[in-house]
Amino acid sequence: MTAELAVEFADPTAPDPPAGWAELVRAAPLHPVWDWSLVRAVAAARNGAAVAAVVRDGDEVVALVHARLIGPGGTVADVECPGSMSLPGVALPGDLPPGLAPGPHARLDAVAAAFEAALGRRRRVRAVSYRQVYAAALPALARGVALVRRGDDVAVLRNRFGSYAEYLATLPNKRRRDQGRLVRQTDGDAGVTVHFGPPPERFDAAAFHELAEQTDRRNHRRRFPPRRRWSLEFHAAQAAVPGARLLRYTAADGRLVGATITFDHPAAPLAGPWAALDPHEGGRSGIWYEHFARSLRWAIESGRGGYIAGKGLMAQKAELGFEAVPQFTVLRRLSAAGAGRATGAPPRSRART
């Protein structure tokens, strides 16, 4: 590693990614949720109040960083993954939950220091908040004076199984029987058609978005943190990224009964937004468990290293063999001092909260 890392800011609303962004996503490989189309969708929803940066060590791109600008006048850079609330907002090769990758990258502390120094020289930005930080990464990000708060855990299943049947054998008896019964019940229902694979060309993103938002409103039962609202453009972009797999349940009349997007990755596919019709309004009881039966069977039988199932409903996910991996938020004040140099400073924030 050279003595100084270069931090290159890019316009998050630009149609094309900065040089090296897409190449690192492919080569690392990073999760598809780092696709530039999702950076643009976030920026569009926030009127451009976002930050996207490429970190270079000489000619080598070593990391990507994404943040939303929040607080009065956009004074806080809220560092998070552009396409998922389950992954960190500093992307380095191998940056996956512990046990699915080698662990925190050796460059994380240098990357964070360079990014903070470059960000600190921007007018208005006064603090940085890192979200979805794994415990092993805390020494690199919580250095000096910092506030650290434990956030929601993320559910992770590690694929240690030789077959799907071997996985099922590890579940409680009732859950094991129910997983098979639910799939047989759906497959035998002539009133429901199941699609699992790449989204079709005529995928109805608007119907998926509407049902996903209804589902999120129905399931969000706490006042803090407030529910995050997603745009139609964001959900459409998620379905269109390379490696996205759609699991969709459609009624005979064409109505969407349930759907989810899984972002494929050789080490750990990642669950995306979940949408399901309320059983009181014609939906199917048990479809949430059933969709995991199909998704996990595919991940296990295709030899993926594991499966990341996002946040929430941890007790139910534990019944399916998931473990809760702690994640933290680290808040730090910025200083112009430190290593790193910045180029291509992004436009002034227009954030409103």
Side-chain angles (χ1 to χ4, degrees):
M1 185 173 69
T2 60
E4 186 177 25
L5 297 178
V7 178
E8 176 188 333
F9 289 111
D11 178 1
T13 67
D16 299 314
W21 184 288
E23 290 76 9
L24 185 65
V25 173
R26 287 195 302 268
L30 300 180
H31 258 285
V33 288
W34 279 93
D35 190 83
W36 185 254
S37 63
L38 294 171
V39 175
R40 293 188 67 204
V42 172
R46 297 188 58 78
N47 295 320
V51 170
V54 172
V55 183
R56 303 180 189 277
D57 182 3
D59 294 332
E60 180 189 8
V61 176
V62 297
L64 308 177
V65 187
H66 174 266
R68 300 177 307 128
L69 297 176
I70 63 174
T75 53
V76 179
D78 207 31
V79 180
E80 64 177 15
C81 176
S84 173
M85 295 175 69
S86 297
L87 298 178
V90 180
L92 301 104
D95 194 10
L96 292 170
L100 296 177
H105 199 286
R107 284 172 163 161
L108 178 59
D109 54 351
V111 166
F115 174 71
E116 290 178 24
L119 196 63
R121 288 190 286 271
R122 293 187 60 202
R123 192 170 69 168
R124 294 179 180 270
V125 180
R126 295 292 178 265
V128 61
S129 173
Y130 296 97
R131 294 188 182 272
Q132 286 78 54
V133 175
Y134 303 121
L138 286 175
L141 297 180
R143 63 195 185 283
V145 178
L147 294 177
V148 179
R149 179 181 64 83
R150 182 165 176 170
D152 292 335
D153 297 342
V154 64
V156 176
L157 179 78
R158 308 182 196 286
N159 184 9
R160 305 184 180 97
F161 314 106
S163 66
Y164 182 65
E166 185 177 319
Y167 155 73
L168 285 178
T170 66
L171 303 185
N173 289 336
K174 184 179 185 305
R175 178 48 49 205
R176 179 172 65 249
R177 292 193 300 270
D178 283 350
Q179 290 304 92
R181 176 185 60 80
L182 289 168
V183 172
R184 291 191 301 271
Q185 180 177 297
T186 302
D187 287 343
D189 186 347
V192 176
T193 300
V194 181
H195 166 91
F196 186 38
E201 290 184 9
R202 305 184 79 174
F203 171 62
D204 190 343
F208 173 71
H209 167 72
E210 181 178 355
L211 189 57
E213 285 295 285
Q214 290 176 8
T215 306
D216 201 31
R217 284 195 299 270
R218 188 171 70 241
N219 292 333
H220 191 88
R221 299 176 180 177
R222 56 183 180 175
R223 300 181 67 179
F224 186 84
R227 186 178 77 86
R228 181 77 64 85
R229 290 171 172 80
W230 305 106
S231 67
L232 167 58
E233 292 74 18
F234 182 79
H235 281 146
Q238 283 186 313
V241 299
R245 295 180 63 88
L246 173 69
L247 174 55
R248 181 182 63 185
Y249 304 81
T250 309
D253 62 1
R255 184 170 52 162
L256 187 63
V257 176
T260 190
I261 296 169
T262 294
F263 304 103
D264 196 7
H265 187 277
L270 169 66
W274 166 245
L277 194 61
D278 191 324
H280 297 98
E281 299 175 4
R284 298 300 195 274
S285 179
I287 193 174
W288 184 85
Y289 279 106
E290 202 265 14
H291 99 274
F292 271 121
R294 294 181 188 271
S295 297
L296 293 181
R297 180 165 192 161
W298 161 76
I300 291 168
E301 292 185 345
S302 62
R304 301 305 193 268
Y307 193 90
I308 305 172
K311 301 172 182 289
L313 299 175
M314 298 305 290
Q316 292 87 336
K317 290 172 183 175
E319 294 180 20
L320 297 171
F322 287 93
E323 61 182 278
V325 174
Q327 290 188 325
F328 300 82
T329 295
V330 178
L331 177 65
R332 296 171 45 78
R333 289 183 61 86
L334 288 181
S335 165
R341 53 189 172 86
T343 62
R348 183 181 302 176
S349 164
R350 297 187 295 277
R352 292 289 186 270
T353 59

